[in-house]
Amino acid sequence: MTVTTSTSTSPRPVVSRRIVLWILACAALVALGAWAYGLFDGMIDLRVYRMGGSVLLDGGSLYDAKLPGSGLPFTYPPFAAIAMVPLAAVPWGVALVVWTTISVLCIAALWRTSLPRTAWSFFTQRKRTTLLVALTALSLLLEPVWQTIQFGQINLLLTAMILSDLVRPQNARLRGFWLGVTIGVKLTPLPFLALLVVTKQWRALRNAVLGLLATMAIGVAIVPNQSWRYWTDVVMDANRVGGLAYTGNQSFNGFLHRLGDEASWVQPTWFVLSAVFGLLVLWMARRYWLADERVTAIAVMALAVLYASPVTWSHHWVWIIPLGVGLIRAVNRVWGLNPAVATGVLFYGLFVLRSIWWVPFRDDRELDWTFWQSIPGNSHLILGMIAFIVLAVTSRSLPKPTPATADQA
């Protein structure tokens, strides 16, 4: 008797080809859009990233280099420059298309991760793809997202890495490691470690620390002198990243500098505000985490990063994608579907308006704003705080964690 075995290996290459085709189509659209919007002559932050990689390839001094024409320095840890070497080694046009394609795919990943499974269950596979493409395209209208694309920033990639990493199951392998890697690329995600502490996610915390130490070790092994200089000197210099009062700095520190410029009360007030708000954020993020609202908890924790950082450029606010989803879910849970839809339209719509750029800016003109000008000029901060308050109020309706859930987190 002859026994035949069948192997179902065909679906795997079909899926792989489909993914490749989507990526190639996305890259083609990105190239066309970059040409249409003149991005080939811009993308200044991507140019800074590539400069860091080029300096390392040339054996130069990373933190003394300035981008020709703008004088912008490289402000990130050495590992970030090491990671940018591949982009520095290819022609500018190739680097732009590859980098922007990655950013656009990260927008889709953010929506796919943020929306609950119940939202996808209503659609067929084809309709899910259509919905994801539509959300990704519409997201380009959001001020933080478009600023990230226009400048060639890294925010979408880091946000997608953090969210995708932390929403995984508690026992997922190396969960938290990629959070540590993002900290090694750009220090701003550091406060997320506090979320792991207050929710007792010790394994994820260990992995995150190992991820950060791995990036530091790679930096020390490849560029020891540059690493020593960064971690002992450059990391302390917030002024390297630009004017603190600039309207693009949508943080507590930026708000206070626009009020008092260099007054002696600004820095102590910023410290107290950041500490108090940070504690409130930790309390609420823990509450949402224990209620198994992980996306909302992570997005709430991101608010601490955005508000407390010395400099939070408007493009750092790409966290509004998961934050808005969490806000809609909270409103729907307490007040129903119609208010939830209205909340989502209003929340995302106000970010589409890009009102922080309606008022005079640059050359310290922010210091002369009237009260009415300061409202649109600080609109990211205002909208973020309204979202925080709504989430705090609606958190009273969250189910109380069971003893098993509390022990787990």
Side-chain angles (χ1 to χ4, degrees):
M1 182 176 65
T2 303
V3 178
T4 59
T5 59
S6 62
T7 57
S8 57
T9 57
S10 57
R12 187 178 297 275
V14 169
V15 173
S16 299
R17 285 196 296 270
R18 182 181 298 172
I19 293 174
V20 170
L21 287 175
W22 274 112
I23 293 175
L24 290 176
C26 182
L29 290 174
V30 164
L32 181 62
W35 173 79
Y37 282 94
L39 297 183
F40 285 102
D41 297 324
M43 308 282 280
I44 193 166
D45 286 317
L46 179 57
R47 294 181 187 274
V48 172
Y49 300 156
R50 293 180 78 243
M51 177 191 72
S54 297
V55 169
L56 294 189
L57 288 174
D58 297 336
S61 178
L62 183 59
Y63 298 107
D64 291 322
K66 305 287 184 181
L67 185 67
S70 67
L72 291 176
F74 189 85
T75 61
Y76 305 94
F79 177 77
I82 296 169
M84 295 299 167
V85 167
L87 288 179
V90 298
W92 166 246
V94 175
L96 182 148
V97 172
V98 169
W99 187 247
T100 308
T101 300
I102 292 172
S103 295
V104 173
L105 292 174
C106 285
I107 299 173
L110 282 173
W111 282 111
R112 186 66 183 87
T113 306
S114 298
L115 291 173
R117 292 181 181 179
T118 52
W120 298 106
S121 62
F122 292 105
F123 303 98
T124 63
Q125 181 62 45
R126 180 174 295 181
K127 289 182 178 180
R128 291 174 191 171
T129 303
T130 302
L131 175 62
L132 199 57
V133 170
L135 288 173
T136 302
L138 290 172
S139 296
L140 295 174
L141 299 175
L142 299 170
E143 193 275 343
V145 173
W146 177 246
Q147 287 283 79
T148 294
I149 298 293
Q150 186 179 30
F151 289 137
Q153 258 286 343
I154 198 172
N155 307 304
L156 286 165
L157 176 58
L158 298 184
T159 302
M161 287 176 64
I162 294 169
L163 190 65
S164 300
D165 188 20
L166 295 185
V167 298
R168 292 191 294 156
Q170 296 282 96
N171 60 351
R173 186 180 182 186
L174 290 181
R175 180 176 172 273
F177 181 84
W178 296 109
L179 168 60
V181 172
T182 64
I183 299 171
V185 172
K186 193 173 185 178
L187 294 179
T188 49
L190 189 63
F192 280 98
L193 297 181
L195 174 63
L196 302 181
V197 172
V198 298
T199 52
K200 299 181 181 180
Q201 301 179 65
W202 305 124
R203 181 185 298 178
L205 179 63
R206 178 204 63 191
N207 292 338
V209 172
L210 289 176
L212 173 59
L213 292 177
T215 65
M216 297 174 68
I218 292 172
V220 170
I222 296 177
V223 282
N225 293 334
Q226 308 288 353
S227 296
W228 174 259
R229 181 177 175 188
Y230 179 82
W231 295 109
T232 60
D233 179 27
V234 176
V235 70
M236 307 294 181
D237 187 6
N239 291 319
R240 283 176 61 89
V241 296
L244 297 177
Y246 180 49
T247 187
N249 183 12
Q250 292 288 304
S251 67
F252 279 145
N253 202 29
F255 170 73
L256 293 172
H257 273 85
R258 288 189 284 274
L259 285 180
D261 195 13
E262 298 295 334
S264 59
W265 57 266
V266 169
Q267 289 301 100
T269 305
W270 165 62
F271 180 80
V272 172
L273 269 178
S274 299
V276 172
F277 186 69
L279 292 174
L280 291 173
V281 162
L282 279 174
W283 165 76
M284 193 163 74
R286 182 180 184 275
R287 192 165 184 174
Y288 273 94
W289 187 272
L290 294 179
D292 203 27
E293 293 281 347
R294 294 191 177 187
V295 170
T296 305
I298 296 167
V300 167
M301 193 65 223
L303 287 176
V305 178
L306 296 171
Y307 279 88
S309 176
V311 177
T312 299
W313 299 131
S314 67
H315 46 71
H316 294 164
W317 281 78
V318 292
W319 280 103
I320 61 172
I321 291 178
L323 179 64
V325 172
L327 183 64
I328 293 168
R329 284 173 57 81
V331 172
N332 180 57
R333 186 178 61 251
V334 177
W335 294 299
L337 180 60
N338 290 337
V341 172
T343 298
V345 171
L346 188 61
F347 180 76
Y348 289 118
L350 289 172
F351 278 100
V352 170
L353 294 179
R354 309 179 187 187
S355 55
I356 63 171
W357 307 112
W358 292 358
V359 290
F361 60 91
R362 288 200 182 99
D363 301 323
D364 288 336
R365 283 183 285 180
E366 295 90 346
L367 303 178
D368 298 322
W369 282 352
T370 65
F371 171 78
W372 298 110
Q373 288 174 325
S374 67
I375 295 176
N378 295 296
S379 59
H380 286 19
L381 290 167
I382 295 171
L383 289 172
M385 192 59 67
I386 291 173
F388 177 82
I389 293 171
V390 172
L391 287 170
V393 171
T394 55
S395 69
R396 293 179 297 179
S397 67
L398 289 170
K400 293 184 178 180
T402 62
T405 306
D407 289 340
Q408 185 181 11

